[in-house]
Amino acid sequence: MKNKIPTREEAYELLRKYNKSESLIYHALAVEAVMLHFAELFEEEDKEKWGIVGLVHDLDYEMYPKEHCKMTEEILKNENWPEDYIRAIVSHGWKICTDIEPIETMEKVLYTIDELTGLINATALMRPTGISDMKVKSIKKKWKDKSFAAGVNREVIAEGAQMLGMDLNEIIEETIKGMQSIANEIGLK
Ligand SMILES: [Fe+2]
Ligand SMILES: [Fe+2]
């Protein structure tokens, strides 16, 4: 069967089908918003694609945590998603659950901001004002405190920044902006 370009609505439906956990839905929406923000920043034409790839990147994580990335690949193949969407989604797990390396800019951004949204989210939850007036330096402070949000792999973020050839501070700043745009929907206000 021929591949079909998924719409945002179809992607969201699929996300809801495989994810019941509120925190995973919030994470999916946060990554989607940040991907859209970066697509705008880089003046990408296919913004919707960036958003969709972000939205479903962890599709299999709730039901198949041990087969993370691999099950997403299978599910999306069965849904007849295009190869480049699937490749981009799977490449976020480079060296962790797949050997597919991020090559395209969209893939590098996803790889970089996935873990970073986790650090920003954890930091925002500790602050009385949430994410609304968050500055880069609050994140840098938490970055150095390795016991804080210990599950967030700082090395992956730093490696991603290097792949993008972008300054880490700038990436943090833009990721905060992306998440601020949907603060209400992801429980950060
Ligand atoms: Fe993941
Ligand atoms: Fe993720």
Side-chain angles (χ1 to χ4, degrees):
M1 226 195 300
K2 225 176 135 269
N3 292 146
K4 189 188 159 292
I5 306 277
T7 63
R8 200 274 178 186
E9 209 185 325
E10 287 162 351
Y12 186 73
E13 248 170 53
L14 208 56
L15 175 76
R16 300 300 305 211
K17 184 176 165 191
Y18 286 93
N19 290 268
K20 306 290 170 231
S21 139
E22 186 178 61
S23 63
L24 281 174
I25 304 273
Y26 282 177
H27 173 63
L29 292 172
V31 171
E32 175 191 32
V34 175
M35 289 302 287
L36 288 170
H37 180 76
F38 273 85
E40 217 155 90
L41 200 69
F42 294 153
E43 296 175 355
E44 289 291 331
E45 263 166 36
D46 203 349
K47 250 183 79 174
E48 175 142 310
K49 180 180 181 183
W50 284 54
I52 287 170
V53 161
L55 188 65
V56 301
H57 79 283
D58 278 336
L59 187 68
D60 61 5
Y61 194 69
E62 184 174 319
M63 290 174 73
Y64 314 98
K66 291 203 176 94
E67 295 148 283
H68 184 37
C69 297
K70 291 169 192 75
M71 282 306 289
T72 301
E73 184 176 357
E74 218 175 290
I75 295 164
L76 296 181
K77 270 186 181 157
N78 285 333
E79 296 284 332
N80 280 310
W81 277 39
E83 200 59 52
D84 56 333
Y85 281 66
I86 299 176
R87 188 197 191 280
I89 289 159
V90 171
S91 76
H92 90 270
W94 184 44
K95 291 195 285 196
I96 295 163
C97 53
T98 178
D99 42 14
I100 295 178
E101 188 182 344
I103 303 283
E104 299 287 331
T105 308
M106 178 179 70
E107 298 172 343
K108 292 177 183 171
V109 171
L110 177 63
Y111 184 78
T112 309
I113 60 93
D114 180 21
E115 295 278 307
L116 183 54
T117 61
L119 184 62
I120 294 171
N121 186 61
T123 306
L125 290 172
M126 304 281 296
R127 304 171 81 245
T129 51
I131 198 170
S132 60
D133 57 351
M134 185 185 275
K135 300 275 184 296
V136 173
K137 71 170 191 299
S138 352
I139 299 302
K140 288 308 273 283
K141 226 170 102 192
K142 296 294 185 194
W143 177 287
K144 288 189 201 112
D145 178 2
K146 294 283 149 68
S147 61
F148 180 81
V152 172
N153 190 336
R154 276 87 164 155
E155 275 165 38
V156 165
I157 305 170
E159 190 181 15
Q162 217 167 27
M163 290 192 303
L164 280 169
M166 250 176 111
D167 177 48
L168 182 61
N169 288 329
E170 194 188 348
I171 292 174
I172 294 171
E173 192 182 343
E174 298 303 337
T175 305
I176 292 172
K177 278 189 205 159
M179 288 174 74
Q180 279 169 340
S181 69
I182 50 145
N184 276 327
E185 292 93 313
I186 57 174
L188 292 183
K189 237 172 200 168

